[in-house]
DNA sequence: CGACGCGTTGAGTAGCCTCAACGACAGTGG
DNA sequence: CCACTGTCGTTGAGGCTACTCAACGCGTCG
């Protein structure tokens, strides 16, 4: 794994785990991170139906994308962490089809399609990297289908916590097994298709058996091995290979 | 919408709905369809863990990809119809992470990563098309998250039938509201996170109220408007715009 | 004809939901 | 500094939806 530079953006940290960026690439990636916009905690960033003519790169903070059901209930589609690119998959669509809300104070970079096209023009390695990220993203979505379709409350919560943990590790924002956790139990419930009551029960029970520990705004995974086993967890980020993309010289060196 | 040529492959039909293929593109797309391999009904095509060094284009027939839970239950991740590209998203991964089984007799074309790279080299328009398809695919996955997370049995079944219907229409394999439906109720149940019993109840109830009609191997949607309303259905294929991809001259003409 | 897969229906159960009350806590304003 | 307020998490009682288990009929295919 490539060492990360001090002050690097989360997306650059992520990229650095898969390829050695050269100067041009570093600069291009940096251009995505320009002029971040500050967003206050708990504010709506985009509303459903808005034209999907730009995307966001998360610099810092957590966000949720979700849809509202006719009866008012919510389904969280994705939790967005630093380094995430929001709206990539919406490029072929005329408008956003979900709501986007900040959980914490955030710093977001706004991109146009032009920025992405620029990358596609100039650097096949970064293109391959971005597309690979998107494909892995899709994999994590199918993993969630398995969770929502076939798992009980307890396992849903376990799976969610694990997948959050490994994502935070990718951007060096987990200290061992401890990480910031700004979601309410309502948020978590809407992410895994439960109610806050079931989430509360599941978390309490897991804490009681010593699998995890909560303190305000923090989460600690105490028995990661047990939890991985319980849900047959697969870390999709472990084994990404971006060399499938054409024009790529073998790029990864550890 | 471009008229479809007689005998065209389903993928070409699909492409034709979004762009006017020129000769080169038609040929390249055709090269994906070469030498289809025949697969008998109900056979395992790939098993989990196999190296993901090739992909499949479905020429004809239905397939399921699914995972098995530790307790033996199944979660169907995707139903694959003619024109689908299977394994696109697995390219950055070392191995398939699901099982693939044929529901009917199938005809499959096997591609290597090289075929895809070839397209990426030679024609930005087809590249944009393929990537757009993948992105739309991801959208349908998030739609399913909403279904599995927040819908009751009846609505799950409705949503599944509608999404199947619109996909079949895209490849000209639905006659109005009637289409071949080779899935068992077990298959359907595993696709929407239910049991065969619940599916049976839901289907019976829908038939009784006159929303649909079943005959062996066939399905007819009688009250599409009602069903769309019930699940707030969005047809993701209606409004794909592939012009976001760089190098694309404005390509779509109706 | 028998075997098997599939669909249907019923009875009983379990897990999660709904509703509700309450305590802890942070933020606000006096 | 302290009430006041609203959000969040917890816990309990009761209900409902979908599940489990089971039996049976039907059609298909050896």
């Amino acid at each position: 794994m490539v060492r990360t530079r001090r002050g690097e953006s989360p997306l650059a940290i992520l990229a650095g785990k898969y390829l050695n960026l050269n100067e041009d690439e570093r600069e291009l990636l940096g251009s995505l991170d320009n002029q971040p916009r500050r967003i206050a905690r708990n504010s709506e960033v985009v509303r459903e139906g808005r034209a999907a003519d730009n995307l966001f790169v998360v610099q810092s903070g957590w966000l949720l994308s979700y849809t509202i059901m006719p009866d008012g209930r919510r389904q969280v589609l994705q939790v967005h962490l630093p380094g995430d690119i929001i709206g990539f998959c919406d490029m072929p669509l005329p408008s956003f089809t979900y709501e986007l809300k900040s959980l914490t104070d955030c710093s977001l970079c706004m991109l146009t399609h032009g920025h992405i096209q620029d990358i596609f023009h100039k650097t096949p390695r970064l293109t391959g990297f971005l597309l690979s990220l998107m494909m892995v993203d899709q994999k994590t979505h199918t993993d969630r289908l398995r969770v929502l379709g076939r798992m009980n409350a307890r396992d849903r919560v376990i799976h969610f916590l694990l997948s959050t943990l490994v994502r935070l590790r990718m951007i060096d924002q987990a200290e061992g097994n401890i990480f910031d956790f700004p979601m309410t139990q309502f948020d978590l419930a809407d992410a895994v298709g439960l109610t806050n009551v079931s989430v509360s029960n599941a978390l309490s029970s897991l804490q009681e058996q010593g699998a995890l520990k909560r303190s305000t705004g923090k989460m600690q995974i105490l028995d990661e091995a047990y939890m991985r086993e319980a849900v047959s967890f697969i870390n999709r980020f472990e084994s990404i290979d971006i060399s499938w993309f054409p024009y790529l010289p073998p790029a990864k060196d550890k």
Side-chain angles (χ1 to χ4, degrees), chain A:
Chain A
M1 190 176 291
V2 175
R3 83 200 114 71
T4 59
R5 303 190 170 190
R6 206 153 282 289
E8 249 177 343
S9 79
L11 189 54
I13 292 178
L14 207 51
K17 308 236 170 181
Y18 297 108
L19 30 80
N20 261 336
L21 300 174
N22 63 33
E23 259 326 301
D24 287 350
E25 291 164 342
R26 195 178 301 280
E27 195 175 319
L28 251 176
L29 208 53
S31 77
L32 299 188
D33 295 335
N34 267 342
Q35 301 171 336
R37 187 175 128 203
R38 301 230 147 250
I39 307 279
R41 179 169 164 274
N42 242 319
S43 41
E44 282 200 355
V45 181
V46 306
R47 201 181 293 268
E48 187 178 336
R50 184 176 121 177
D53 49 4
N54 49 26
L55 15 175
F56 307 92
V57 180
V58 183
Q59 285 298 321
S60 66
W62 291 40
L63 303 95
L64 293 185
S65 50
Y66 57 91
T67 57
I68 304 282
M69 307 295 291
D71 62 6
R73 289 182 308 161
R74 215 173 39 148
Q75 175 64 46
V76 167
L77 302 175
Q78 211 165 349
V79 177
H80 300 284
L81 305 179
D84 274 14
I85 301 176
I86 303 175
F88 203 72
C89 292
D90 297 277
M91 285 195 290
L93 301 178
S95 58
F96 284 106
T97 55
Y98 47 79
E99 324 265 337
L100 183 64
K101 205 189 81 175
S102 59
L103 281 180
T104 65
D105 291 343
C106 290
S107 167
L108 292 188
C109 299
M110 302 199 37
L111 306 186
T112 63
H113 288 184
H115 286 94
I116 298 295
Q117 291 169 359
D118 211 34
I119 288 190
F120 279 28
H121 273 165
K122 291 182 184 163
T123 132
R125 288 175 75 209
L126 278 186
T127 306
F129 168 66
L130 292 182
L131 291 178
S132 297
L133 275 192
M134 181 177 58
M135 291 167 171
V136 169
D137 215 53
Q138 175 130 12
K139 281 294 149 198
T140 63
H141 270 78
T142 62
D143 288 340
R144 291 186 63 204
L145 283 182
R146 178 172 148 270
V147 170
L148 295 188
R150 290 299 184 209
M151 281 191 192
N152 64 23
R154 183 194 175 77
D155 289 346
R156 292 184 192 210
V157 170
I158 291 178
H159 185 98
F160 182 88
L161 293 177
L162 286 179
S163 71
T164 304
L165 174 59
V166 300
R167 288 175 64 199
L168 287 171
R169 280 185 184 147
M170 289 303 297
I171 50 170
D172 301 337
Q173 295 200 5
E175 302 145 21
N177 287 330
I178 307 183
F179 53 93
D180 284 334
F181 193 73
M183 295 175 75
T184 69
Q185 293 185 353
F186 288 89
D187 295 329
L188 209 171
D190 290 338
V192 297
L194 296 169
T195 59
N196 66 316
V197 178
S198 300
V199 167
S200 177
N201 289 333
L203 285 174
S204 302
S205 135
L206 285 169
Q207 175 151 347
E208 192 176 357
Q209 82 175 74
L212 59 81
K213 188 157 174 298
R214 292 168 291 167
S215 40
T216 43
K218 291 275 186 183
M219 184 69 71
Q220 177 170 19
I221 305 299
L222 292 173
D223 196 344
E224 187 176 340
Y226 162 76
M227 288 168 77
R228 280 177 180 262
E229 168 71 18
V231 298
S232 314
F233 186 78
I234 301 175
N235 182 353
R236 298 291 183 183
F237 295 96
E238 241 164 32
S239 43
I240 306 178
D241 170 26
I242 64 168
S243 69
W244 63 272
F245 192 80
Y247 293 118
L248 275 177
K252 182 174 179 175
D253 51 352
K254 313 209 175 192

